[in-house]
Amino acid sequence: MEKMPETSRACEGSPSGQLLLGIRQFNREEWFECHETLEALWLKERGDVRNFYQGIIQIAIALHHWRNGNLGGSLSLLAGGRGYLLRVPEVCLWVDVAGLIAQADRVISALERLGKEKMGELDPVLIPRLKTVEVTE
Protein backbone atom coordinates (compact mmCIF):
# COMPACT_ATOMS: atom_id res chain seq x y z
CA MET A 1 0.00 0.00 0.00
CA GLU A 2 1.57 3.28 -1.13
CA LYS A 3 1.42 6.26 1.19
CA MET A 4 0.28 9.64 -0.02
CA PRO A 5 3.23 12.05 -0.29
CA GLU A 6 1.71 14.74 1.94
CA THR A 7 1.29 12.36 4.89
CA SER A 8 4.90 11.20 4.56
CA ARG A 9 6.12 14.81 4.49
CA ALA A 10 4.00 15.59 7.53
CA CYS A 11 5.66 12.89 9.64
CA GLU A 12 9.05 14.14 8.50
CA GLY A 13 8.26 17.66 9.69
CA SER A 14 9.24 19.20 12.98
CA PRO A 15 7.12 19.05 16.13
CA SER A 16 4.79 21.92 16.99
CA GLY A 17 4.85 23.67 20.33
CA GLN A 18 1.63 21.85 21.23
CA LEU A 19 3.21 18.48 20.52
CA LEU A 20 6.22 19.42 22.65
CA LEU A 21 3.81 20.38 25.45
CA GLY A 22 2.06 17.00 25.04
CA ILE A 23 5.43 15.22 25.26
CA ARG A 24 6.28 17.07 28.48
CA GLN A 25 2.85 16.21 29.93
CA PHE A 26 3.21 12.55 28.98
CA ASN A 27 6.67 12.34 30.53
CA ARG A 28 5.47 14.07 33.73
CA GLU A 29 2.76 11.37 33.91
CA GLU A 30 0.05 13.97 33.25
CA TRP A 31 -1.62 11.52 30.90
CA PHE A 32 -5.11 12.97 30.88
CA GLU A 33 -3.73 16.44 30.18
CA CYS A 34 -1.55 15.01 27.40
CA HIS A 35 -4.67 13.45 25.89
CA GLU A 36 -6.43 16.83 25.93
CA THR A 37 -3.44 18.62 24.36
CA LEU A 38 -2.93 16.07 21.59
CA GLU A 39 -6.61 15.63 20.84
CA ALA A 40 -6.74 19.23 19.61
CA LEU A 41 -3.91 18.39 17.16
CA TRP A 42 -5.41 15.01 16.19
CA LEU A 43 -8.71 16.60 15.15
CA LYS A 44 -6.92 18.67 12.48
CA GLU A 45 -4.84 15.87 10.98
CA ARG A 46 -5.16 12.94 8.63
CA GLY A 47 -3.01 10.05 7.49
CA ASP A 48 0.16 9.10 9.32
CA VAL A 49 0.17 12.10 11.64
CA ARG A 50 -3.43 11.44 12.69
CA ASN A 51 -2.53 7.81 13.48
CA PHE A 52 0.57 9.03 15.34
CA TYR A 53 -1.47 11.31 17.60
CA GLN A 54 -4.18 8.68 18.09
CA GLY A 55 -1.57 6.12 19.17
CA ILE A 56 -0.01 8.43 21.74
CA ILE A 57 -3.42 9.53 23.02
CA GLN A 58 -4.52 5.93 23.52
CA ILE A 59 -1.31 4.99 25.32
CA ALA A 60 -1.64 8.08 27.54
CA ILE A 61 -5.21 7.17 28.49
CA ALA A 62 -4.16 3.53 28.98
CA LEU A 63 -1.63 4.70 31.56
CA HIS A 64 -4.28 6.92 33.16
CA HIS A 65 -6.52 3.81 33.46
CA TRP A 66 -3.62 1.79 34.90
CA ARG A 67 -3.04 4.43 37.58
CA ASN A 68 -6.78 4.30 38.42
CA GLY A 69 -6.80 0.50 38.72
CA ASN A 70 -8.61 -0.31 35.46
CA LEU A 71 -6.59 -3.23 34.09
CA GLY A 72 -8.96 -4.10 31.24
CA GLY A 73 -9.16 -0.51 29.99
CA SER A 74 -5.43 -0.11 30.28
CA LEU A 75 -4.59 -3.28 28.32
CA SER A 76 -7.19 -2.55 25.66
CA LEU A 77 -5.96 1.00 25.05
CA LEU A 78 -2.28 -0.02 25.14
CA ALA A 79 -2.99 -2.55 22.38
CA GLY A 80 -5.06 -0.02 20.43
CA GLY A 81 -2.44 2.70 20.70
CA ARG A 82 0.26 0.26 19.64
CA GLY A 83 -1.85 -0.65 16.61
CA TYR A 84 -2.14 2.97 15.51
CA LEU A 85 1.60 3.53 15.97
CA LEU A 86 2.44 0.48 13.85
CA ARG A 87 0.88 2.34 10.90
CA VAL A 88 3.38 5.21 10.98
CA PRO A 89 7.12 5.51 10.33
CA GLU A 90 9.54 4.57 13.12
CA VAL A 91 10.14 8.29 13.70
CA CYS A 92 7.32 10.80 13.33
CA LEU A 93 7.65 14.51 14.11
CA TRP A 94 10.99 13.68 15.76
CA VAL A 95 9.35 11.21 18.19
CA ASP A 96 10.83 7.72 18.53
CA VAL A 97 7.69 5.78 17.57
CA ALA A 98 9.46 2.41 17.41
CA GLY A 99 10.76 2.95 20.95
CA LEU A 100 7.29 3.82 22.21
CA ILE A 101 5.86 0.66 20.66
CA ALA A 102 8.57 -1.41 22.37
CA GLN A 103 7.81 0.29 25.70
CA ALA A 104 4.08 -0.38 25.28
CA ASP A 105 4.85 -4.06 24.58
CA ARG A 106 6.84 -4.30 27.82
CA VAL A 107 4.02 -2.72 29.84
CA ILE A 108 1.43 -5.03 28.26
CA SER A 109 3.54 -8.10 29.14
CA ALA A 110 4.14 -6.90 32.69
CA LEU A 111 0.48 -6.03 33.34
CA GLU A 112 -0.70 -9.36 31.94
CA ARG A 113 1.77 -11.11 34.25
CA LEU A 114 0.82 -9.01 37.31
CA GLY A 115 -2.94 -9.20 36.83
CA LYS A 116 -5.61 -7.07 38.48
CA GLU A 117 -4.52 -7.70 42.07
CA LYS A 118 -0.87 -6.73 41.55
CA MET A 119 -1.09 -4.22 38.68
CA GLY A 120 -0.09 -1.41 41.06
CA GLU A 121 3.26 -3.14 41.49
CA LEU A 122 4.30 -2.32 37.91
CA ASP A 123 8.01 -1.49 37.94
CA PRO A 124 8.24 2.31 37.48
CA VAL A 125 11.11 1.73 35.04
CA LEU A 126 8.56 0.23 32.62
CA ILE A 127 6.37 3.35 32.47
CA PRO A 128 6.72 4.63 28.89
CA ARG A 129 8.41 7.92 28.12
CA LEU A 130 8.20 9.82 24.85
CA LYS A 131 11.65 10.40 23.42
CA THR A 132 12.74 12.62 20.59
CA VAL A 133 15.50 11.60 18.23
CA GLU A 134 18.02 13.51 16.19
CA VAL A 135 16.74 13.96 12.66
CA THR A 136 19.32 14.31 9.90
CA GLU A 137 18.58 15.21 6.31
PDB file of all heavy atoms in Angstrom, residues 94-115:
ATOM      1  N   TRP A  94       9.812  13.821  14.902  1.00  0.00           N
ATOM      2  CA  TRP A  94      10.990  13.681  15.757  1.00  0.00           C
ATOM      3  C   TRP A  94      10.791  12.740  16.935  1.00  0.00           C
ATOM      4  O   TRP A  94      11.679  12.559  17.753  1.00  0.00           O
ATOM      5  CB  TRP A  94      11.496  15.023  16.279  1.00  0.00           C
ATOM      6  CG  TRP A  94      11.900  16.028  15.251  1.00  0.00           C
ATOM      7  CD1 TRP A  94      11.812  15.923  13.885  1.00  0.00           C
ATOM      8  CD2 TRP A  94      12.436  17.307  15.503  1.00  0.00           C
ATOM      9  NE1 TRP A  94      12.262  17.068  13.302  1.00  0.00           N
ATOM     10  CE2 TRP A  94      12.658  17.945  14.263  1.00  0.00           C
ATOM     11  CE3 TRP A  94      12.748  18.000  16.662  1.00  0.00           C
ATOM     12  CZ2 TRP A  94      13.180  19.217  14.139  1.00  0.00           C
ATOM     13  CZ3 TRP A  94      13.279  19.277  16.548  1.00  0.00           C
ATOM     14  CH2 TRP A  94      13.487  19.874  15.300  1.00  0.00           C
ATOM     15  N   VAL A  95       9.622  12.112  17.066  1.00  0.00           N
ATOM     16  CA  VAL A  95       9.353  11.212  18.189  1.00  0.00           C
ATOM     17  C   VAL A  95       9.757   9.790  17.797  1.00  0.00           C
ATOM     18  O   VAL A  95       9.457   9.322  16.696  1.00  0.00           O
ATOM     19  CB  VAL A  95       7.868  11.269  18.602  1.00  0.00           C
ATOM     20  CG1 VAL A  95       7.544  10.190  19.636  1.00  0.00           C
ATOM     21  CG2 VAL A  95       7.521  12.650  19.145  1.00  0.00           C
ATOM     22  N   ASP A  96      10.406   9.101  18.722  1.00  0.00           N
ATOM     23  CA  ASP A  96      10.829   7.715  18.534  1.00  0.00           C
ATOM     24  C   ASP A  96       9.615   6.795  18.679  1.00  0.00           C
ATOM     25  O   ASP A  96       9.315   6.305  19.772  1.00  0.00           O
ATOM     26  CB  ASP A  96      11.912   7.369  19.560  1.00  0.00           C
ATOM     27  CG  ASP A  96      12.404   5.931  19.457  1.00  0.00           C
ATOM     28  OD1 ASP A  96      12.005   5.214  18.514  1.00  0.00           O
ATOM     29  OD2 ASP A  96      13.189   5.532  20.339  1.00  0.00           O
ATOM     30  N   VAL A  97       8.900   6.598  17.578  1.00  0.00           N
ATOM     31  CA  VAL A  97       7.688   5.776  17.569  1.00  0.00           C
ATOM     32  C   VAL A  97       8.035   4.312  17.838  1.00  0.00           C
ATOM     33  O   VAL A  97       7.355   3.641  18.628  1.00  0.00           O
ATOM     34  CB  VAL A  97       6.938   5.936  16.231  1.00  0.00           C
ATOM     35  CG1 VAL A  97       5.760   4.977  16.145  1.00  0.00           C
ATOM     36  CG2 VAL A  97       6.476   7.380  16.041  1.00  0.00           C
ATOM     37  N   ALA A  98       9.070   3.809  17.214  1.00  0.00           N
ATOM     38  CA  ALA A  98       9.464   2.408  17.415  1.00  0.00           C
ATOM     39  C   ALA A  98       9.780   2.149  18.886  1.00  0.00           C
ATOM     40  O   ALA A  98       9.402   1.109  19.438  1.00  0.00           O
ATOM     41  CB  ALA A  98      10.659   2.065  16.530  1.00  0.00           C
ATOM     42  N   GLY A  99      10.445   3.094  19.524  1.00  0.00           N
ATOM     43  CA  GLY A  99      10.756   2.953  20.946  1.00  0.00           C
ATOM     44  C   GLY A  99       9.509   2.946  21.808  1.00  0.00           C
ATOM     45  O   GLY A  99       9.417   2.185  22.776  1.00  0.00           O
ATOM     46  N   LEU A 100       8.533   3.772  21.453  1.00  0.00           N
ATOM     47  CA  LEU A 100       7.285   3.817  22.214  1.00  0.00           C
ATOM     48  C   LEU A 100       6.509   2.505  22.069  1.00  0.00           C
ATOM     49  O   LEU A 100       5.951   1.999  23.047  1.00  0.00           O
ATOM     50  CB  LEU A 100       6.429   5.009  21.790  1.00  0.00           C
ATOM     51  CG  LEU A 100       5.117   5.207  22.550  1.00  0.00           C
ATOM     52  CD1 LEU A 100       5.352   5.312  24.056  1.00  0.00           C
ATOM     53  CD2 LEU A 100       4.392   6.434  22.020  1.00  0.00           C
ATOM     54  N   ILE A 101       6.515   1.950  20.873  1.00  0.00           N
ATOM     55  CA  ILE A 101       5.856   0.656  20.656  1.00  0.00           C
ATOM     56  C   ILE A 101       6.509  -0.415  21.532  1.00  0.00           C
ATOM     57  O   ILE A 101       5.822  -1.197  22.197  1.00  0.00           O
ATOM     58  CB  ILE A 101       5.898   0.251  19.167  1.00  0.00           C
ATOM     59  CG1 ILE A 101       5.029   1.200  18.335  1.00  0.00           C
ATOM     60  CG2 ILE A 101       5.459  -1.203  18.981  1.00  0.00           C
ATOM     61  CD1 ILE A 101       5.236   1.077  16.837  1.00  0.00           C
ATOM     62  N   ALA A 102       7.844  -0.430  21.559  1.00  0.00           N
ATOM     63  CA  ALA A 102       8.567  -1.411  22.374  1.00  0.00           C
ATOM     64  C   ALA A 102       8.243  -1.225  23.861  1.00  0.00           C
ATOM     65  O   ALA A 102       8.052  -2.209  24.596  1.00  0.00           O
ATOM     66  CB  ALA A 102      10.070  -1.301  22.135  1.00  0.00           C
ATOM     67  N   GLN A 103       8.153   0.020  24.302  1.00  0.00           N
ATOM     68  CA  GLN A 103       7.807   0.286  25.702  1.00  0.00           C
ATOM     69  C   GLN A 103       6.386  -0.192  26.012  1.00  0.00           C
ATOM     70  O   GLN A 103       6.139  -0.774  27.070  1.00  0.00           O
ATOM     71  CB  GLN A 103       7.918   1.778  25.999  1.00  0.00           C
ATOM     72  CG  GLN A 103       9.349   2.303  25.974  1.00  0.00           C
ATOM     73  CD  GLN A 103       9.361   3.800  26.196  1.00  0.00           C
ATOM     74  OE1 GLN A 103       9.173   4.254  27.325  1.00  0.00           O
ATOM     75  NE2 GLN A 103       9.551   4.570  25.139  1.00  0.00           N
ATOM     76  N   ALA A 104       5.463   0.065  25.094  1.00  0.00           N
ATOM     77  CA  ALA A 104       4.078  -0.384  25.282  1.00  0.00           C
ATOM     78  C   ALA A 104       4.031  -1.910  25.376  1.00  0.00           C
ATOM     79  O   ALA A 104       3.307  -2.466  26.216  1.00  0.00           O
ATOM     80  CB  ALA A 104       3.189   0.116  24.145  1.00  0.00           C
ATOM     81  N   ASP A 105       4.804  -2.585  24.543  1.00  0.00           N
ATOM     82  CA  ASP A 105       4.854  -4.056  24.579  1.00  0.00           C
ATOM     83  C   ASP A 105       5.319  -4.555  25.951  1.00  0.00           C
ATOM     84  O   ASP A 105       4.759  -5.514  26.492  1.00  0.00           O
ATOM     85  CB  ASP A 105       5.795  -4.601  23.495  1.00  0.00           C
ATOM     86  CG  ASP A 105       5.226  -4.483  22.094  1.00  0.00           C
ATOM     87  OD1 ASP A 105       4.004  -4.266  21.948  1.00  0.00           O
ATOM     88  OD2 ASP A 105       6.018  -4.603  21.133  1.00  0.00           O
ATOM     89  N   ARG A 106       6.328  -3.891  26.508  1.00  0.00           N
ATOM     90  CA  ARG A 106       6.844  -4.303  27.822  1.00  0.00           C
ATOM     91  C   ARG A 106       5.794  -4.091  28.916  1.00  0.00           C
ATOM     92  O   ARG A 106       5.649  -4.925  29.818  1.00  0.00           O
ATOM     93  CB  ARG A 106       8.140  -3.568  28.149  1.00  0.00           C
ATOM     94  CG  ARG A 106       9.327  -4.060  27.329  1.00  0.00           C
ATOM     95  CD  ARG A 106      10.647  -3.519  27.819  1.00  0.00           C
ATOM     96  NE  ARG A 106      10.845  -2.110  27.543  1.00  0.00           N
ATOM     97  CZ  ARG A 106      11.323  -1.611  26.402  1.00  0.00           C
ATOM     98  NH1 ARG A 106      11.643  -2.422  25.417  1.00  0.00           N
ATOM     99  NH2 ARG A 106      11.479  -0.321  26.248  1.00  0.00           N
ATOM    100  N   VAL A 107       5.059  -2.986  28.838  1.00  0.00           N
ATOM    101  CA  VAL A 107       4.016  -2.725  29.837  1.00  0.00           C
ATOM    102  C   VAL A 107       2.891  -3.744  29.707  1.00  0.00           C
ATOM    103  O   VAL A 107       2.399  -4.265  30.714  1.00  0.00           O
ATOM    104  CB  VAL A 107       3.466  -1.281  29.709  1.00  0.00           C
ATOM    105  CG1 VAL A 107       2.267  -1.066  30.612  1.00  0.00           C
ATOM    106  CG2 VAL A 107       4.546  -0.275  30.045  1.00  0.00           C
ATOM    107  N   ILE A 108       2.484  -4.040  28.477  1.00  0.00           N
ATOM    108  CA  ILE A 108       1.427  -5.032  28.258  1.00  0.00           C
ATOM    109  C   ILE A 108       1.834  -6.368  28.881  1.00  0.00           C
ATOM    110  O   ILE A 108       1.066  -6.978  29.631  1.00  0.00           O
ATOM    111  CB  ILE A 108       1.111  -5.196  26.753  1.00  0.00           C
ATOM    112  CG1 ILE A 108       0.408  -3.936  26.218  1.00  0.00           C
ATOM    113  CG2 ILE A 108       0.263  -6.433  26.501  1.00  0.00           C
ATOM    114  CD1 ILE A 108       0.323  -3.864  24.694  1.00  0.00           C
ATOM    115  N   SER A 109       3.053  -6.818  28.594  1.00  0.00           N
ATOM    116  CA  SER A 109       3.536  -8.102  29.138  1.00  0.00           C
ATOM    117  C   SER A 109       3.547  -8.083  30.662  1.00  0.00           C
ATOM    118  O   SER A 109       3.108  -9.042  31.310  1.00  0.00           O
ATOM    119  CB  SER A 109       4.942  -8.411  28.625  1.00  0.00           C
ATOM    120  OG  SER A 109       4.910  -8.635  27.247  1.00  0.00           O
ATOM    121  N   ALA A 110       4.047  -6.993  31.228  1.00  0.00           N
ATOM    122  CA  ALA A 110       4.142  -6.902  32.686  1.00  0.00           C
ATOM    123  C   ALA A 110       2.756  -6.880  33.327  1.00  0.00           C
ATOM    124  O   ALA A 110       2.521  -7.564  34.324  1.00  0.00           O
ATOM    125  CB  ALA A 110       4.931  -5.654  33.085  1.00  0.00           C
ATOM    126  N   LEU A 111       1.827  -6.107  32.760  1.00  0.00           N
ATOM    127  CA  LEU A 111       0.484  -6.032  33.339  1.00  0.00           C
ATOM    128  C   LEU A 111      -0.254  -7.359  33.210  1.00  0.00           C
ATOM    129  O   LEU A 111      -0.975  -7.760  34.134  1.00  0.00           O
ATOM    130  CB  LEU A 111      -0.321  -4.899  32.695  1.00  0.00           C
ATOM    131  CG  LEU A 111       0.103  -3.484  33.074  1.00  0.00           C
ATOM    132  CD1 LEU A 111      -0.722  -2.464  32.310  1.00  0.00           C
ATOM    133  CD2 LEU A 111       0.002  -3.265  34.579  1.00  0.00           C
ATOM    134  N   GLU A 112      -0.072  -8.040  32.095  1.00  0.00           N
ATOM    135  CA  GLU A 112      -0.701  -9.359  31.944  1.00  0.00           C
ATOM    136  C   GLU A 112      -0.154 -10.330  32.988  1.00  0.00           C
ATOM    137  O   GLU A 112      -0.895 -11.144  33.542  1.00  0.00           O
ATOM    138  CB  GLU A 112      -0.479  -9.895  30.529  1.00  0.00           C
ATOM    139  CG  GLU A 112      -1.303  -9.167  29.491  1.00  0.00           C
ATOM    140  CD  GLU A 112      -1.010  -9.592  28.054  1.00  0.00           C
ATOM    141  OE1 GLU A 112       0.051 -10.210  27.788  1.00  0.00           O
ATOM    142  OE2 GLU A 112      -1.848  -9.281  27.198  1.00  0.00           O
ATOM    143  N   ARG A 113       1.134 -10.232  33.263  1.00  0.00           N
ATOM    144  CA  ARG A 113       1.767 -11.110  34.248  1.00  0.00           C
ATOM    145  C   ARG A 113       1.306 -10.746  35.675  1.00  0.00           C
ATOM    146  O   ARG A 113       1.025 -11.625  36.487  1.00  0.00           O
ATOM    147  CB  ARG A 113       3.294 -10.988  34.126  1.00  0.00           C
ATOM    148  CG  ARG A 113       4.080 -11.982  34.934  1.00  0.00           C
ATOM    149  CD  ARG A 113       5.585 -11.900  34.678  1.00  0.00           C
ATOM    150  NE  ARG A 113       6.136 -10.572  34.964  1.00  0.00           N
ATOM    151  CZ  ARG A 113       6.492  -9.657  34.039  1.00  0.00           C
ATOM    152  NH1 ARG A 113       6.361  -9.915  32.762  1.00  0.00           N
ATOM    153  NH2 ARG A 113       6.999  -8.497  34.395  1.00  0.00           N
ATOM    154  N   LEU A 114       1.206  -9.458  35.968  1.00  0.00           N
ATOM    155  CA  LEU A 114       0.822  -9.009  37.309  1.00  0.00           C
ATOM    156  C   LEU A 114      -0.650  -9.247  37.614  1.00  0.00           C
ATOM    157  O   LEU A 114      -1.003  -9.575  38.747  1.00  0.00           O
ATOM    158  CB  LEU A 114       1.140  -7.517  37.481  1.00  0.00           C
ATOM    159  CG  LEU A 114       2.608  -7.139  37.548  1.00  0.00           C
ATOM    160  CD1 LEU A 114       2.787  -5.637  37.408  1.00  0.00           C
ATOM    161  CD2 LEU A 114       3.231  -7.642  38.849  1.00  0.00           C
ATOM    162  N   GLY A 115      -1.503  -9.035  36.617  1.00  0.00           N
ATOM    163  CA  GLY A 115      -2.937  -9.198  36.827  1.00  0.00           C
ATOM    164  C   GLY A 115      -3.542  -8.058  37.638  1.00  0.00           C
ATOM    165  O   GLY A 115      -2.848  -7.158  38.102  1.00  0.00           O
TER     166      GLY A 115
END
